[in-house]
Amino acid sequence: MRFTFRLYLYWVSIFLVFYVGIIVVVAFLWSVEVNLWQAALVFFIVGMIPPAIITYYFSKRLDYMESDDPEPPSFSGQKTVLFHFNGRTECPFDEVMQRIDRQWIISYSDRKKNILKFRTDARMTSWGLGGYLKMEDKEKILVIIYPIYPRSKREKLMVDQLLQLMKSVLG
């Protein structure tokens, strides 16, 4: 299941829990009888359409993480850094992939092209970050970090922090 769809289901389930809780409280306190069809229609309008619009708004960035597109991303708010890497094995890309896998969620990898896409976890307070890594040769790694929600000041700070963490992970 694609991450975009899982994120949509996550938001719908949160809306559903709150919606059912409100219906139970209203029905209990005021002894209001709830019509099932009306309740389902209201949930569809209020609980399914807004998460669909929000998910669609971020879908380009979210879908890029899992796509097999080898080109680097060109999103607003992204930062690019070229790291020097001293591998300890004969397969430096596998070593990089193992280090990234310990810290973040790998969403796509291509060993032939030495490309890796990864992301941080999405939470209630943050949409997370996406990352693109390409090993240009055995010692140079191009890393691009981009926020899912580029207008967030918090996520801009997280991009800088992730680049610092990336420096320590690859260093």
Side-chain angles (χ1 to χ4, degrees):
M1 188 181 315
R2 296 190 64 89
F3 178 67
T4 308
F5 188 68
R6 283 186 297 159
L7 195 59
Y8 171 72
L9 290 178
Y10 173 75
W11 280 105
V12 168
S13 65
I14 289 172
F15 277 67
L16 180 63
V17 167
F18 282 113
Y19 183 67
V20 168
I22 289 171
I23 286 178
V24 167
V25 168
V26 167
F28 179 71
L29 291 178
W30 291 296
S31 300
V32 176
E33 190 173 312
V34 178
N35 185 340
L36 186 61
W37 288 106
Q38 289 175 341
L41 180 63
V42 169
F43 176 72
F44 177 75
I45 292 170
V46 176
M48 292 181 76
I49 293 176
I53 292 170
I54 292 169
T55 305
Y56 177 76
Y57 179 73
F58 297 117
S59 66
K60 186 176 180 183
R61 292 171 185 256
L62 295 170
D63 288 342
Y64 173 79
M65 287 189 286
E66 295 179 335
S67 72
D68 58 356
D69 183 8
E71 296 301 314
S74 59
F75 299 126
S76 60
Q78 75 181 26
K79 293 202 176 179
T80 305
V81 177
L82 189 64
F83 289 107
H84 182 74
F85 180 72
N86 291 325
R88 296 183 184 118
T89 64
E90 291 183 23
C91 301
F93 183 73
D94 290 340
E95 187 178 344
V96 168
M97 194 159 76
Q98 189 177 39
R99 290 181 185 191
I100 296 296
D101 190 35
R102 288 183 194 147
Q103 298 286 329
W104 301 286
I105 301 164
I106 294 178
S107 53
Y108 173 79
S109 66
D110 186 346
R111 283 192 167 104
K112 292 179 184 176
K113 296 178 183 174
N114 291 336
I115 294 174
L116 187 66
K117 294 180 185 178
F118 60 94
R119 64 180 173 85
T120 62
D121 199 15
R123 306 219 183 264
M124 284 291 290
T125 58
S126 172
W127 285 91
L129 303 173
Y132 172 89
L133 183 143
K134 181 172 184 178
M135 184 169 257
E136 295 181 345
D137 59 33
K138 289 188 175 189
E139 294 182 352
K140 291 183 183 174
I141 299 175
L142 173 71
V143 176
I144 301 172
I145 306 294
Y146 58 93
I148 302 302
Y149 182 55
R151 294 187 185 130
S152 168
K153 291 179 183 178
R154 182 173 186 250
E155 290 193 15
K156 286 178 185 177
L157 292 172
M158 288 174 56
V159 168
D160 293 332
Q161 291 173 349
L162 186 63
L163 285 172
Q164 290 297 321
L165 184 57
M166 182 68 68
K167 183 178 180 179
S168 68
V169 167
L170 296 176

